[in-house]
Amino acid sequence: MAFILPSESIDGSPPANGLHMNGQDSLVQPLLTDFYQITMCYAYWKTGTHNEPAVFDVFFRKNPFNGEFTVFAGLEDCLRFVENFKFSQSDIEYVKKILPENADDSFFEYLETLDGSRLTIEAVSEGSVVFPKVPLLTIYGPLAMCQLLETSILNLVNYASLVATNAARFRQAAGNKINLLEFGLRRAQGPNGGLTASKYCYIGGFDGTSNVLAGKLYGIPVKGTQAHSFICSFSSPDELKIRTLNHKDSKETSDLFKLSTEKRKWLLEEISWGVVQSEVSDGELTAFVAYAIAFPDSFLALIDTYDVLRSGVINFVAVSLALHDLGYRSMGCRIDSGDLSYLSRELRVRFVKVAALNEDYKFFEKMCIVASNDINEETIMSLNEQKHEINSFGVGTHLVTCQKQPALGCVYKLVAQSSQPKIKLSQDVTKITIPGKKKCYRIFGKNGYAILDLMMLEEEEEPKPNEQILCRHPFEESKRALVNASKIIKLHNVYWKDGVLATPLPTLNEIKQHVNESINENLRQDHRRYLNPTPYKVSVSERLYQFLHHLWLQNAPIGQLE
Amino acid sequence: MAFILPSESIDGSPPANGLHMNGQDSLVQPLLTDFYQITMCYAYWKTGTHNEPAVFDVFFRKNPFNGEFTVFAGLEDCLRFVENFKFSQSDIEYVKKILPENADDSFFEYLETLDGSRLTIEAVSEGSVVFPKVPLLTIYGPLAMCQLLETSILNLVNYASLVATNAARFRQAAGNKINLLEFGLRRAQGPNGGLTASKYCYIGGFDGTSNVLAGKLYGIPVKGTQAHSFICSFSSPDELKIRTLNHKDSKETSDLFKLSTEKRKWLLEEISWGVVQSEVSDGELTAFVAYAIAFPDSFLALIDTYDVLRSGVINFVAVSLALHDLGYRSMGCRIDSGDLSYLSRELRVRFVKVAALNEDYKFFEKMCIVASNDINEETIMSLNEQKHEINSFGVGTHLVTCQKQPALGCVYKLVAQSSQPKIKLSQDVTKITIPGKKKCYRIFGKNGYAILDLMMLEEEEEPKPNEQILCRHPFEESKRALVNASKIIKLHNVYWKDGVLATPLPTLNEIKQHVNESINENLRQDHRRYLNPTPYKVSVSERLYQFLHHLWLQNAPIGQLE
């Protein structure tokens, strides 16, 4: 019972290491659950209903971030959890301790027998855009076993989907030309919060991460520049034990600090920077030289420690020109404070001036500017409006903690048991569940975009393209539409059956690609936009509508007014 | 080099399992870091500054949640990380791949040699109340090695401290008589986000968690009731394969469903519930009976699936009375929707009526009412104002994701290198670091409460009680005060030195106790209150003030206006 997990190498990184690739195996185990799952399991078992066939749907009721779409993620983690599901002896010992003393001993023998072999899992493909009420996963099998999975599955789907959606929204805001880097590890909610964030931000649309472990485990490209402490740690060139660098081709040795100092002197004469030399920090120049000696071919400098325009940019250009003399090309600079729009434009002006000094310096026009510092979706949109010259955003806290809404509210609801549909009623109509095992379809219109999702009873015939399909709002009687589909996609595949994986899993990069297509090619712009996006329609067939409302009335008690 | 970790058993749970007790070992490893730590490390090494002695402070600039205090947590995790710090061969292989091809091979040999043995770590004791600017940890040792720890240490301290502080704030809002339970696993940010939350919420003031793994690993009391799906899964008593329960003492067998039905009939006659029998769900009664058969001595029912007052409470009381006849006592009921204040008061009215029916039912007056459903600090305060009869809150999303502010902004700053103080300047005064290695004290006034924290230069003489101490605001010249201390506590201890633990670590329960004392006994109420709390003063000695401002002027370049 072992997956054939994707082992392809992304970006020159090592192949993923089978079941260990997600690095959280030690935590995702049967006891990572709410205690009530175990008490309920005991009660089902005790009263003999534990093996009744049951169907549970995983779905959410509202898209996050005031948006109208969600990216589904975490499926592979769920499947791996089910594949490895087995109570260890020490788990059983612990459960004995926390259940009442008079609990029946045979229950623990029953617990020992449990695994995922009698479960079936259908799911939407990972990375798909999904909408409220439509099941992301449908899990069926013995009632008690299904019940035991609830908390772990929700934990694995909720945050993965939330952070992938957040990343996709950042991508929407930034457009396709900007490089987006995830820098959130230090502010993430725990070590795994950071690792999960790096993985699912990449899937959702980011280009790389600062998180080295995520790079190692998942093959995500890792990126990084330097910290203020690096700049602060250098006061004078005397501190450098090595100041020389060899020419890239001729291997001739030069004093990079001396050369950079000369370049700086020349630059201060050639271009009007509006500063006096005493303002341009020597400590900063030393730090840049140290970094350039280490990374002559990928020099990227943090230039805001002292003053971006009065010190940082001048030192950066000086070292870059010195490197250029020795056959190397700088990668760019990073700003981590101040007015990012203004600073990036001012930097570009200066880079263009430098480019004009010499035909060989033309590459300076397109010098990469990386910006970080508390960036969120709104900051990016505001920067877009103000115009900016930033090529790459480094995003941390807002991205990984999903500051705007730090939890997705997926739920796990019983929808059928022993072939009987189950409905969870509520005075709040949005909380009523759609009963029964369902088939779900995505209906595409003539222009190629998705129009709506349609849920049907399992025994209904499949809808066909180019035929009229009556689609109804699940709860509002008057909302109906006839739809003529250009294309229909079945949303669910069977991913797990009879103890083995039933559909091959895509690689991380395939999932990432699927997110991109699912959003940009299938979803109309008005569903995606930031301000007042149009809700995407989720509907039910006529038969499911009747079935749902019949069951609703049947289950809702008739009150008596006094 | 192994800790003597606390192994005491809490609440009958298994002893903690040494270094594996936190269950996240597989993740907290040297590569769980930002790439730039490794590139900087390479640059330090390449230019020969890597072994210069350096001092880094970990501190934050602003208390979270608009409050004026923070609970420091995560120290043990940091120490364990440092103890186990060692690059594996596969780590080194991976680093080779992501550094430029021309990186010097000897660097990788150097990386192999790195461990925590040359570091010293001083820290505030875990669970202490802490304030902005004062170092939570001071880490010193070789520059490059200290630099490599930054991201991991911040990751381990930021979320642990944030969620412990959040839990402490919930405790402040709820008061000491309410039972607080953490139910957040399904909405937490990943598996470890959930596990970390359970641990640090307990430390911060919660009484238990629903997270079974947290119970197993840390010995935290685990609690749970049942889910709506359990209630929905029962439609009629025919589904119960077992309906009988033995009397607790006489062992005589009764049909619990039949007995509960009789009790319900009687209750509907004896008390005016304002309902007709058809409103009281039989499926719900069946589910309650099933659960009661499994847990006769700890029956706690979820009563809002159909209607709390028109169905749930009646079924709950009926089953409770049936259990009572058989020698068992119910624990209580849970409501998960609706107006929690109103419902809890109405429930109490009904329980008091039931208690009045029979001398033996007097325990019903104090029947436990558990409330859950999107509870946050403000909900609890609002419920307090409206009066409520809730005995226990189950709190999930808001608590574990820290919805109000999902990240704490701890930073890791270089403050000295090769015996030279370092200062990080910024146009934003709040971002300027306090340079140099410091000694920190908490000064208590006559009433026994802490008045302020005082930072001094390391070479200064210790402050003494009952002598005038001049305390200055670090940046605002005119803010000074003479303080006469009744008691002075040194804030930092050396926790790690020469490769071993230098101070014994407290148990989880000792840390929890310390949080409670640190907040409730040492901190004035006006610092703790929700609305407009008084900022706690953090000050520097006269000498540190002069030192800081001298260095500031020395490092800030003199601009020239044109």
Side-chain angles (χ1 to χ4, degrees):
Chain A
M1 198 162 83
F3 282 5
I4 308 303
L5 277 177
S7 63
E8 74 153 16
S9 167
I10 307 154
D11 236 65
S13 62
N17 182 15
L19 284 175
H20 289 276
M21 80 179 271
N22 79 341
Q24 59 190 37
D25 301 343
S26 65
L27 288 186
V28 187
Q29 48 173 275
L31 288 197
L32 189 78
T33 189
D34 289 315
F35 184 43
Y36 78 2
Q37 310 295 1
I38 292 173
T39 59
M40 287 190 280
C41 181
Y42 179 71
Y44 288 135
W45 176 86
K46 182 80 185 169
T47 56
T49 63
H50 56 298
N51 276 332
E52 286 187 12
V55 184
F56 285 82
D57 279 349
V58 175
F59 63 95
F60 59 88
R61 298 185 180 115
K62 199 173 174 311
N63 289 299
F65 313 122
N66 299 316
E68 290 296 347
F69 71 91
T70 299
V71 173
F72 169 51
L75 174 60
E76 188 181 322
D77 291 343
C78 291
L79 295 168
R80 184 181 298 113
F81 165 65
V82 169
E83 180 181 47
N84 293 321
F85 191 98
K86 197 80 196 164
F87 286 100
S88 70
Q89 274 309 315
S90 77
D91 290 345
I92 305 255
E93 291 304 314
Y94 181 66
V95 172
K96 271 187 198 172
K97 284 188 186 162
I98 56 175
L99 282 183
E101 272 183 29
N102 54 4
D104 199 328
D105 258 354
S106 326
F107 175 67
F108 303 105
E109 290 162 26
Y110 161 71
L111 277 191
E112 279 182 49
T113 67
L114 292 179
D115 62 30
S117 59
R118 294 173 67 195
L119 297 170
T120 305
I121 300 179
E122 299 182 8
V124 175
S125 62
E126 185 154 6
S128 297
V129 167
V130 287
F131 304 97
K133 301 190 202 78
V134 181
L136 309 177
L137 298 104
T138 296
I139 299 179
Y140 45 102
L143 174 62
M145 181 63 207
C146 288
Q147 182 75 65
L148 278 175
L149 303 180
E150 176 177 12
T151 307
S152 323
I153 297 276
L154 290 178
N155 178 283
L156 293 171
V157 169
N158 268 328
Y159 179 59
S161 299
L162 183 77
V163 77
T165 306
N166 203 22
R169 294 179 62 90
F170 274 80
R171 173 54 73 198
Q172 290 291 310
N176 288 326
K177 290 180 187 157
I178 297 281
N179 207 259
L180 288 178
L181 304 173
E182 177 269 310
F183 284 176
L185 180 56
R186 66 188 58 196
R187 302 286 166 84
Q189 300 204 337
N192 179 271
L195 196 63
T196 312
S198 301
K199 178 176 177 182
Y200 292 103
C201 288
Y202 180 66
I203 283 177
F206 271 59
D207 298 297
T209 177
S210 64
N211 184 340
V212 186
L213 191 59
K216 184 184 177 198
L217 294 174
Y218 309 128
I220 301 170
V222 295
K223 305 287 176 189
T225 59
Q226 65 222 179
H228 291 116
S229 57
F230 184 86
I231 311 297
C232 291
S233 98
F234 294 91
S235 309
S236 89
D238 307 336
E239 294 165 5
L240 296 176
K241 301 220 168 66
I242 294 182
R243 295 162 58 156
T244 57
L245 180 67
N246 295 345
H247 190 285
K248 191 174 180 180
D249 306 314
S250 74
K251 307 297 175 198
E252 198 181 324
T253 299
S254 301
D255 181 328
L256 187 65
F257 186 83
K258 184 156 167 279
L259 192 55
S260 301
T261 315
E262 288 162 11
K263 291 290 178 192
R264 187 169 77 175
K265 185 155 179 288
W266 178 73
L267 279 169
L268 285 166
E269 284 159 9
E270 290 293 313
I271 295 178
S272 163
W273 303 85
V275 300
V276 287
Q277 174 145 8
S278 66
E279 289 180 87
V280 191
S281 164
D282 284 342
E284 187 178 48
L285 184 71
T286 311
F288 288 178
V289 167
Y291 204 76
I293 288 170
F295 301 102
D297 244 348
S298 53
F299 176 59
L300 207 159
L302 175 63
I303 61 172
D304 71 340
T305 306
Y306 297 97
D307 188 308
V308 172
L309 301 177
R310 308 180 80 80
S311 179
V313 64
I314 302 164
N315 282 325
F316 167 68
V317 175
V319 176
S320 297
L321 295 185
L323 283 172
H324 182 261
D325 275 9
L326 303 181
Y328 302 97
R329 183 164 291 185
S330 289
M331 277 181 60
C333 58
R334 176 163 77 99
I335 44 178
D336 187 41
S337 57
D339 180 332
L340 300 176
S341 155
Y342 167 79
L343 288 174
S344 70
R345 282 182 281 119
E346 289 294 314
L347 285 172
R348 189 66 67 205
V349 167
R350 282 155 181 75
F351 292 154
V352 168
K353 278 187 194 169
V354 173
L357 289 176
N358 185 323
E359 186 63 25
D360 283 353
Y361 297 168
K362 206 161 159 52
F363 67 95
F364 251 96
E365 283 176 4
K366 302 210 165 164
M367 183 59 74
C368 178
I369 300 172
V370 183
S372 48
N373 189 26
D374 224 20
I375 285 170
N376 59 26
E377 214 183 323
E378 290 75 16
T379 320
I380 293 177
M381 288 187 300
S382 157
L383 286 169
N384 289 345
E385 269 172 33
Q386 298 165 64
K387 306 295 178 204
H388 67 81
E389 289 287 340
I390 297 162
N391 304 97
S392 182
F393 287 108
V395 193
T397 316
H398 290 278
L399 176 66
V400 303
T401 66
C402 301
Q403 194 132 14
K404 206 191 286 176
Q405 180 185 325
L408 180 64
C410 274
V411 294
Y412 185 94
K413 295 290 177 192
L414 180 70
V415 294
Q417 185 180 332
S418 301
S419 307
Q420 294 302 307
K422 295 284 182 178
I423 188 166
K424 156 82 174 79
L425 298 183
S426 171
Q427 262 128 342
D428 180 356
V429 170
T430 63
K431 287 196 165 184
I432 293 178
T433 59
I434 316 257
K437 183 152 188 315
K438 298 166 285 284
K439 297 197 287 197
C440 304
Y441 299 91
R442 183 154 296 169
I443 312 287
F444 291 78
K446 291 208 173 69
N447 54 16
Y449 287 116
I451 305 177
L452 53 76
D453 283 3
L454 174 66
M455 290 183 268
M456 310 178 85
L457 287 172
E458 198 171 33
E459 60 267 30
E460 285 189 76
E461 211 174 306
E462 286 216 342
K464 292 191 187 68
N466 305 313
E467 287 182 9
Q468 297 280 49
I469 307 163
L470 178 59
C471 301
R472 300 196 65 163
H473 187 288
F475 302 109
E476 295 181 36
E477 197 177 6
S478 65
K479 289 194 177 170
R480 298 169 298 177
L482 283 166
V483 176
N484 202 324
S486 71
K487 186 175 80 172
I488 297 176
I489 290 176
K490 193 164 188 297
L491 279 173
H492 295 93
N493 285 308
V494 177
Y495 277 93
W496 179 261
K497 200 169 190 233
D498 301 328
V500 291
L501 193 67
T503 299
L505 295 180
T507 63
L508 205 65
N509 275 348
E510 284 165 357
I511 299 172
K512 182 180 174 67
Q513 180 63 23
H514 182 49
V515 171
N516 181 31
E517 288 165 7
S518 190
I519 295 175
N520 294 313
E521 294 176 18
N522 297 345
L523 200 60
R524 282 202 324 261
Q525 169 59 26
D526 58 314
H527 299 306
R528 287 186 260 147
R529 72 181 169 219
Y530 178 81
L531 210 62
N532 298 326
T534 312
Y536 180 85
K537 287 187 181 59
V538 170
S539 60
V540 296
S541 66
E542 175 65 21
R543 276 187 61 193
L544 179 51
Y545 180 89
Q546 297 300 344
F547 175 77
L548 157 65
H549 287 259
H550 173 74
L551 209 65
W552 187 355
L553 284 180
Q554 202 178 36
N555 278 267
I558 302 176
Q560 178 165 330
L561 298 179
E562 291 176 11
Chain B
M1 196 161 87
F3 282 6
I4 307 304
L5 276 177
S7 64
E8 73 153 16
S9 168
I10 308 154
D11 237 61
S13 62
N17 182 13
L19 284 174
H20 289 275
M21 78 178 273
N22 79 341
Q24 60 190 36
D25 301 342
S26 64
L27 289 185
V28 187
Q29 47 176 277
L31 287 196
L32 188 77
T33 190
D34 289 315
F35 185 42
Y36 76 5
Q37 310 296 0
I38 293 173
T39 58
M40 285 189 282
C41 180
Y42 180 71
Y44 288 135
W45 176 85
K46 182 80 183 168
T47 55
T49 63
H50 56 298
N51 275 331
E52 287 187 12
V55 184
F56 285 81
D57 280 348
V58 176
F59 62 96
F60 59 89
R61 297 182 181 117
K62 200 172 171 314
N63 289 298
F65 313 122
N66 299 316
E68 290 297 346
F69 71 91
T70 299
V71 173
F72 169 51
L75 174 60
E76 189 181 322
D77 290 343
C78 291
L79 295 168
R80 185 181 298 111
F81 166 66
V82 169
E83 181 181 47
N84 293 320
F85 191 99
K86 196 81 197 165
F87 287 100
S88 71
Q89 273 309 315
S90 77
D91 290 346
I92 305 255
E93 290 306 313
Y94 181 67
V95 172
K96 271 186 197 170
K97 282 188 186 161
I98 56 176
L99 282 183
E101 271 182 32
N102 55 4
D104 199 328
D105 257 352
S106 329
F107 174 67
F108 303 106
E109 289 162 27
Y110 161 71
L111 276 191
E112 280 183 49
T113 66
L114 290 180
D115 62 29
S117 60
R118 292 173 68 194
L119 297 171
T120 305
I121 301 180
E122 298 181 9
V124 174
S125 61
E126 185 155 8
S128 297
V129 167
V130 286
F131 304 97
K133 301 188 201 80
V134 180
L136 310 177
L137 298 103
T138 296
I139 298 179
Y140 45 102
L143 173 63
M145 181 62 208
C146 289
Q147 182 75 64
L148 278 175
L149 302 181
E150 176 178 13
T151 308
S152 323
I153 296 277
L154 290 178
N155 179 283
L156 293 172
V157 169
N158 268 328
Y159 179 58
S161 299
L162 184 76
V163 79
T165 306
N166 204 20
R169 293 180 62 89
F170 274 80
R171 174 53 74 197
Q172 290 291 310
N176 287 327
K177 289 180 188 157
I178 297 280
N179 208 259
L180 288 177
L181 304 173
E182 177 269 310
F183 284 177
L185 180 56
R186 67 189 57 197
R187 303 286 165 82
Q189 300 203 338
N192 179 270
L195 196 62
T196 311
S198 301
K199 178 176 176 181
Y200 292 102
C201 288
Y202 180 67
I203 284 178
F206 271 57
D207 298 296
T209 177
S210 64
N211 184 339
V212 186
L213 191 59
K216 184 185 177 197
L217 294 174
Y218 310 128
I220 300 171
V222 294
K223 304 288 176 189
T225 59
Q226 66 223 179
H228 291 116
S229 58
F230 184 85
I231 311 296
C232 291
S233 98
F234 293 91
S235 308
S236 87
D238 308 336
E239 293 166 4
L240 297 175
K241 300 218 169 69
I242 294 183
R243 295 162 57 158
T244 56
L245 181 66
N246 295 345
H247 190 283
K248 191 174 181 182
D249 305 313
S250 74
K251 307 296 174 198
E252 199 182 325
T253 300
S254 302
D255 181 329
L256 187 67
F257 187 81
K258 187 157 164 278
L259 192 55
S260 300
T261 315
E262 288 163 10
K263 291 290 178 192
R264 187 169 76 175
K265 187 158 177 288
W266 178 74
L267 278 170
L268 286 165
E269 285 160 8
E270 290 292 314
I271 294 178
S272 165
W273 302 86
V275 300
V276 288
Q277 174 144 10
S278 66
E279 289 180 86
V280 191
S281 165
D282 284 343
E284 186 178 50
L285 184 70
T286 311
F288 287 179
V289 167
Y291 205 75
I293 288 171
F295 301 101
D297 244 348
S298 52
F299 177 60
L300 206 159
L302 176 62
I303 60 171
D304 71 339
T305 306
Y306 298 96
D307 188 307
V308 172
L309 301 178
R310 308 179 80 78
S311 179
V313 63
I314 302 166
N315 283 325
F316 167 67
V317 174
V319 176
S320 297
L321 295 187
L323 283 173
H324 182 262
D325 275 8
L326 303 181
Y328 303 98
R329 184 166 289 186
S330 290
M331 276 181 61
C333 59
R334 176 163 77 101
I335 45 178
D336 188 41
S337 57
D339 181 331
L340 300 177
S341 155
Y342 167 77
L343 288 175
S344 71
R345 281 181 282 118
E346 289 294 315
L347 285 172
R348 189 66 67 206
V349 166
R350 282 156 182 75
F351 292 154
V352 168
K353 278 187 196 171
V354 172
L357 289 177
N358 185 324
E359 186 63 24
D360 283 354
Y361 297 168
K362 207 161 159 52
F363 68 94
F364 250 95
E365 282 176 5
K366 301 210 166 163
M367 183 58 74
C368 177
I369 301 172
V370 183
S372 48
N373 189 26
D374 224 20
I375 285 170
N376 59 26
E377 212 183 325
E378 290 75 16
T379 320
I380 294 176
M381 288 188 299
S382 157
L383 286 168
N384 290 346
E385 270 172 33
Q386 297 165 62
K387 305 297 175 199
H388 67 79
E389 287 288 339
I390 297 162
N391 306 98
S392 182
F393 288 109
V395 193
T397 316
H398 290 279
L399 176 66
V400 304
T401 66
C402 302
Q403 194 131 14
K404 204 190 289 177
Q405 181 185 324
L408 179 66
C410 274
V411 294
Y412 186 96
K413 295 290 177 192
L414 180 69
V415 293
Q417 185 180 332
S418 301
S419 308
Q420 292 303 306
K422 294 283 183 179
I423 189 167
K424 157 83 175 77
L425 297 182
S426 172
Q427 262 125 344
D428 180 355
V429 169
T430 64
K431 288 195 166 186
I432 292 177
T433 59
I434 315 259
K437 183 152 188 315
K438 298 167 285 285
K439 297 196 287 197
C440 304
Y441 299 91
R442 184 154 295 168
I443 311 287
F444 291 77
K446 290 208 175 69
N447 54 16
Y449 289 115
I451 305 176
L452 52 75
D453 284 3
L454 174 66
M455 290 183 269
M456 310 178 84
L457 288 172
E458 198 172 33
E459 60 266 31
E460 285 188 76
E461 208 175 308
E462 285 216 343
K464 290 190 190 66
N466 306 314
E467 285 181 11
Q468 296 280 48
I469 308 162
L470 177 59
C471 299
R472 300 196 64 162
H473 187 289
F475 302 110
E476 295 180 37
E477 197 177 7
S478 64
K479 289 194 176 169
R480 299 169 297 174
L482 284 167
V483 176
N484 203 323
S486 71
K487 186 174 80 173
I488 297 176
I489 290 177
K490 192 164 189 295
L491 279 173
H492 296 92
N493 285 309
V494 177
Y495 277 93
W496 179 262
K497 197 165 193 237
D498 300 327
V500 290
L501 192 66
T503 300
L505 294 179
T507 64
L508 206 64
N509 275 347
E510 285 166 356
I511 297 172
K512 182 180 174 64
Q513 180 62 24
H514 182 49
V515 171
N516 181 31
E517 288 166 5
S518 191
I519 295 176
N520 293 312
E521 294 175 18
N522 296 346
L523 201 60
R524 281 203 323 261
Q525 169 58 26
D526 59 313
H527 299 306
R528 288 186 260 148
R529 73 180 170 219
Y530 178 80
L531 210 63
N532 297 324
T534 313
Y536 180 87
K537 287 187 180 62
V538 170
S539 61
V540 296
S541 66
E542 175 66 22
R543 276 187 60 192
L544 179 51
Y545 181 90
Q546 297 300 343
F547 176 77
L548 157 66
H549 287 259
H550 173 74
L551 208 65
W552 185 356
L553 283 180
Q554 201 178 38
N555 278 268
I558 302 175
Q560 178 164 330
L561 298 178
E562 288 177 10

